[in-house]
Amino acid sequence: MSIQKWLKEPISTTELLGNVRARLERMDVKSAYISSHMPESVQQTIAKADFAYQGMLMLPGTGGVREFVGNPPQWLERRHNDNEYLWQLNRMTDWQDLLEAYSLTKNEKYGRKVIEEMLNWIDTVKITEDMIDLPLSYYSECHPLRALELGIRSYKTWPLVLEHLGHSELFTEEVLEQYVTAVYKQIKILRHVSPQLWPKADHNHYLMECLGILTTALYFPELKEADEWREFAIDAIEKCCFAQLTEDGGQIEGCPSYHNGCMFWFGLAVVLAKRFGFQFSESYMERYKKNLDYSIYSLRPTGKCVPVGDSHANNLAIMGGVYGYFALDDMTWLGLAANLMSSDEIMQEASRHVWRALDVQRFVSDLHALKGKQYVCDKQTTFWNRTLHQAIIRSGWDREALSFLFTCRSPIQNFHAHIDLMSFDFTAIGKEMVCDPGLFCFREDEDRKQFKSSNYHSTLLIDDRDHFAYRGSWDYGPQEKGEIYNVENRGFYQLASAYHLNYVPIVHHRHISLVHDKFVVIADRVEGLEQHKVQRYFHLDFTDVKEAAGGVVATNEIANLAIFTSEQGELAFLPGRLSDVNDVARPSTRVKFEGSYNGSKTFLTVLVPYKGETAPDVQIKEVMDGVYEFGYGERYQVAIKDKDMVISST
């Protein structure tokens, strides 16, 4: 196979292989240090590599368990009615474990498995030069050459083949020729189609696709388009930064999981810049630093991110912390994550990225230094992203803190959003209490519809209708205005206020406040009712939920929650599900308060987390229209005005 037509100048494959090897990091040095200082990580990596060696992978649609995908994998087979199964199979993320296991053990079976799979993929997935002229829509369809997969392979997994095997006898000149040919064809297509797919640079897909272009140009400057690819990708990643990362902090899609991914992707770009001798702009670096804060704000005190939108309740804020450290030499975000997670959890997740550290010894040493320490910070506890229309309010930066995320963005930015206007997620005293249901799946099915629906979130509905129409997994009906218009710290209480018009002519305002760092007050003001039914849903991460005086009580061995309301109406306990990872859900309970009303109506709800067997006793009394009083340790008065809620304490 001749690769000369891909190269700037005619050089032999022997010379090209020598050039590539000269650019690679010393994986033998890294593996020796990792082996001696991270033994648990080594054991886990080898265990996962053994599963991958057997062709046993966990993918979307497999129900959270490993499944035999073929040996070699059946690259073109779509299973479980799930496009994500095929797409993620073709990202080859299992290669990371196989390649690291090779470097750690020097057992050739792991490296040989990757080489065999790569060559089989190249033989199976035919890439011809005329494919660049296919309709743009082709590169969004379900096959291994979707644009996103072109990008992910090229920055995330295929370069690892070079790093871990490039110096070995397994990576022969013949293998290099096939590698270069396959990568060149993929990046040539990607450079053509990606800017057309994402002309505004406002989607995480474009960022990953540009990373693939950049990585290829850096590893193979001998390719004839490498200089143009490099300059294009650097400029495009800068554009992604300002199109996707908001000034207040938070990736434009408003999904914490994708935000954490973006902290990895934007941070990896900086790691590549450090390694290959160039820089991103000062404004890029400042915007990136500002956005690292959102990874911590959107992290529950229990160490799992709030799964609002298409997100999982995972610990990937650690990933933001790792790349904040790599990019900025700053431990702040890892330190704050360590306040909320065990040191073992920090080490386990960070170990997935340790191979990318330019100074492994320093990184591992700094990680170990986090053990047993409480990281002190001066970050505010009230956060407002005006672009995302999200408010995140917390009592502190420890595991017992109270914290909620409140969201109201309409029209939505893209279809990763759920139909969850003025929904919230609440954690207190070590327990997730009122929860966003999470992602569960991307399939076009009833599960997807249910997890996206309004009544699966903790919000208010009219006549049990979604806030706007669900037309499909990636399709909604039109949306009216909805926004968070005020967020304030008023001393003993922190407040966020929002409204939306999606039930026009009915208008709904919701105010939510953390009071004295002990409980949450929610006021719903609904105007324009004409014998409409109003439902207020609370999706609880509890299965033991009972009616109690003035509301309900939910109990658990960790902590409990009492919900008191000024207007109970008809009370129903409905089954729910909460999902932390793809295709896996646990049972939960949805509490529904329902009644029929005319004109304007105000509802006051008080959420009191507590431990022990004795439930608090909170009696809410309406003393005049829109003014309520109740006692919990102290006497409180709550006055709901047109666009405000004022709380006073006596």
Side-chain angles (χ1 to χ4, degrees), residues 593-607:
F593 300 112
E594 181 178 47
S596 296
Y597 306 97
N598 280 310
S600 297
K601 183 64 183 177
T602 302
F603 307 91
L604 192 77
T605 307
V606 180
L607 309 182

Side-chain angles (χ1 to χ4, degrees), residues 79-96:
R79 296 183 187 175
H80 307 294
N81 191 34
D82 197 328
N83 290 351
E84 287 287 333
Y85 173 91
L86 184 144
W87 286 328
Q88 294 199 27
L89 176 67
N90 281 271
R91 295 174 189 176
M92 299 93 165
T93 53
D94 56 294
W95 286 5
Q96 179 176 345

Side-chain angles (χ1 to χ4, degrees), residues 418-419 439-457 466 469-473 476 577:
H418 291 189
I419 313 173
L439 164 59
F440 191 72
C441 74
F442 287 114
R443 292 185 297 274
E444 190 72 67
D445 61 14
E446 287 302 309
D447 285 324
R448 177 72 162 160
K449 180 179 180 181
Q450 185 176 63
F451 274 81
K452 278 196 161 193
S453 66
S454 298
N455 68 24
Y456 239 54
H457 293 80
D466 278 336
Y470 179 92
R471 293 176 174 172
S473 179
Y476 290 142
R577 289 185 294 166

Side-chain angles (χ1 to χ4, degrees), residues 297-345:
Y297 276 110
S298 60
L299 187 63
R300 294 164 170 163
T302 50
K304 305 296 182 185
C305 82
V306 178
V308 65
D310 279 344
S311 291
H312 291 309
N314 57 33
N315 64 4
L316 293 189
I318 298 171
M319 188 165 62
V322 166
Y323 284 88
Y325 173 90
F326 288 167
L328 303 168
D329 297 317
D330 190 332
M331 287 293 290
T332 297
W333 302 280
L334 270 174
L336 286 172
N339 285 0
L340 310 179
M341 304 177 197
S342 69
S343 56
D344 289 343
E345 192 173 9

Side-chain angles (χ1 to χ4, degrees), residues 23 230 411 460:
R23 295 181 196 113
R230 179 181 183 274
L460 181 148

